[in-house]
Amino acid sequence: MKYHVFTRINAGDDLMHVGTVQADSDRLARIYAHRTYDEEDWEFIGVVHEDHLIEVDPQPIAGGRAQ
Amino acid sequence: MSDDGWPQAAVDYVQAIADTKLLLGQRYGEWMLKGPNLEDDISGASNAQDEIGQVRQLFRLLQRQGVDEDWLESERDPEEYANAATLDAEAEAWPTFIVQAALTDRAAWLLLDAIDHDDFTGMVQKMGEDEYFHLEHHDGRLETLAEDQPEAVEAALERYVPQILAFVGPATYDAESDPLVGAGFTDRPAAEIRGAIHEHYVTLFEGTEVSVPALDDDVPDPESWDGTRRRVGDSHVDPDVVDQLQGVSNREYVIA
C-alpha cells in the first residue's frame, strides 16, 4: 500500500509533500516515513494512505439543452 | 547509585548488553540490502547505525571500569564475546530475522533500561529514543507476518525464546535474589523482565494463529547458567563474523 509523506520544518508552515513509502500497515508507514525522510529536523511529519486522497476531478457542467 | 566503581557483575552485565548490540549491528547490516522492500532496508541500515553508536558509548563506559580497549575492539576470541546466543548465527529467512532481531533488541533495551546508575543517566534516555523506532518496526512487521506466515513466526519464537530468556537471566533472580538489584546497580530483576517480554508478545499475537512458547521457569537452568556470557553452554558467534567485527581483513589500512 502506498502512503504519501508530508512534512514541515517550522510550526505554521504549509505541509510539503516529500515522497512516498510502501507499507503493509499504518504502524509501519509511520516508522518507514521517519526512517526514510529524517535528514531534516522536521517539526511535523505525517503519512496519508493513498486511498484517503480525494481526487479533484473537474466535470463539464451540463447546459440544460435537450440531447 | 553514584559510586564510580561498578561491581564485577555489573561490568559483565554491561559487557553482555554491549556485545549484543555489536552483534545486532552486524545482523542488521547483513539484512539491510536483503529486506523485502526498500523501506525495510533503510530502517535496517538506520538500526545498524544506532546500535554501533550505542556500542561506542557502552565501550567507553567499560574502559572507564578498567576493561582493556584493545581487548574490547580487536583482541578477543569468539568465545569471549558475551552476546545473546540468539545472534550467534545469521537468520536464514526474513520472518526468522525479524523474530531474532525483535526479541534480542527488546531484551537488550529492557536490560539497559533497568540500570539505575548515574553513569547512564541521559545516555539511556537518548538510546531509548533510538529504540522506539527499532521496536515499533519489529512489532509492525511481526503483526503482518503473523497474518501472512504464522508458522514461520512461531518456529522462530520456539527457536529463540529459550536463548533470550538465558540472556535476560534465570527466573530465580527476583527482587530479593537478583544480585544486581541487591547491589543497587539495577532496579528491575531478571524475573520481572522475563515476564514483561513474554507478556508483550502474548499481547502482540493475540487473535492471530501464532502461539508464544510458555514462560518456562526452568529455562535457563540456574545451575548451568553462565552469568558472564548470559547463556548456557559454550557456544559462540562464528569466527568469520568476529573477523569482520574486528576488521581483520582491512587491518593494514587502520589509521594509526
Side-chain angles (χ1 to χ4, degrees):
Chain A
M1 299 184 289
K2 184 190 278 187
Y3 291 77
H4 293 264
V5 182
F6 295 89
T7 63
R8 66 177 166 234
I9 297 174
N10 300 306
D13 286 354
D14 288 337
L15 290 173
M16 299 181 292
H17 183 265
V18 292
T20 61
V21 291
Q22 292 284 342
D24 287 341
S25 67
D26 293 355
R27 186 178 197 173
L28 283 168
R30 292 171 60 247
I31 299 301
Y32 292 156
H34 184 276
R35 290 308 215 182
T36 307
Y37 298 100
D38 67 346
E39 292 82 4
E40 194 70 60
D41 186 18
W42 306 116
E43 186 272 336
F44 172 90
I45 180 165
V47 293
V48 176
H49 194 295
E50 184 160 72
D51 288 352
H52 295 158
L53 289 174
I54 301 169
E55 184 178 1
V56 179
D57 184 18
Q59 299 288 331
I61 190 167
R65 297 172 188 271
Q67 297 296 309
Chain B
M1 189 172 179
S2 59
D3 187 23
D4 282 337
W6 308 346
Q8 183 57 44
V11 175
D12 293 342
Y13 182 86
V14 175
Q15 184 72 60
I17 296 170
D19 285 350
T20 295
K21 288 184 167 294
L22 184 63
L23 262 300
L24 268 172
Q26 173 77 13
R27 299 303 176 206
Y28 280 129
E30 289 164 352
W31 275 91
M32 73 184 189
L33 295 175
K34 296 191 286 191
N37 59 31
L38 179 63
E39 286 82 352
D40 285 312
D41 293 345
I42 292 170
S43 294
S46 298
N47 294 355
Q49 274 190 310
D50 290 341
E51 297 298 349
I52 298 304
Q54 293 180 21
V55 169
R56 299 263 66 79
Q57 297 302 312
L58 295 171
F59 276 11
R60 180 179 58 81
L61 292 182
L62 287 165
Q63 286 171 48
R64 279 172 42 186
Q65 296 300 315
V67 182
D68 183 71
E69 181 181 3
D70 290 336
W71 182 85
L72 280 171
E73 299 282 358
S74 58
E75 293 183 357
R76 280 193 275 171
D77 293 327
E79 59 271 22
E80 293 180 287
Y81 283 80
N83 59 281
T86 48
L87 300 172
D88 281 354
E90 183 180 357
E92 62 280 355
W94 174 250
T96 318
F97 167 67
I98 288 294
V99 174
Q100 176 193 45
L103 288 174
T104 313
D105 216 345
R106 181 170 295 278
W109 163 243
L110 292 180
L111 292 181
L112 190 61
D113 185 55
I115 296 173
D116 182 22
H117 191 285
D118 288 351
D119 287 350
F120 293 80
T121 306
M123 188 183 77
V124 169
Q125 185 180 351
K126 173 67 179 70
M127 290 177 178
E129 292 170 11
D130 295 341
E131 292 302 327
Y132 167 78
F133 290 102
H134 301 198
L135 304 187
E136 273 291 293
H137 181 204
H138 301 146
D139 283 357
R141 263 305 186 182
L142 287 173
E143 282 178 346
T144 59
L145 285 168
E147 296 294 324
D148 299 338
Q149 298 186 57
E151 296 89 357
V153 172
E154 197 166 296
L157 285 169
E158 286 170 7
R159 171 174 164 185
Y160 291 125
V161 162
Q163 294 173 328
I164 217 63
L165 291 177
F167 175 57
V168 172
T172 50
Y173 277 23
D174 60 20
E176 281 73 43
S177 59
D178 189 321
L180 286 171
V181 173
F185 190 78
T186 60
D187 61 7
R188 197 179 192 193
E192 192 178 312
I193 295 174
R194 290 162 57 97
I197 292 172
H198 187 258
E199 186 180 343
H200 176 83
Y201 289 107
V202 167
T203 303
L204 185 72
F205 291 121
E206 221 164 41
T208 74
E209 293 176 23
V210 175
S211 295
V212 179
L215 189 56
D216 187 347
D217 283 352
D218 293 329
V219 176
D221 173 11
E223 298 301 315
S224 50
W225 184 65
D226 179 344
T228 300
R229 298 186 66 229
R230 306 190 79 81
R231 65 172 68 199
V232 173
D234 55 5
S235 57
H236 54 75
V237 68
D238 192 88
D240 291 345
V241 171
V242 171
D243 282 351
Q244 290 180 42
L245 294 173
Q246 297 183 356
V248 168
S249 61
N250 293 311
R251 193 162 283 166
E252 63 182 295
Y253 304 109
V254 168
I255 299 169

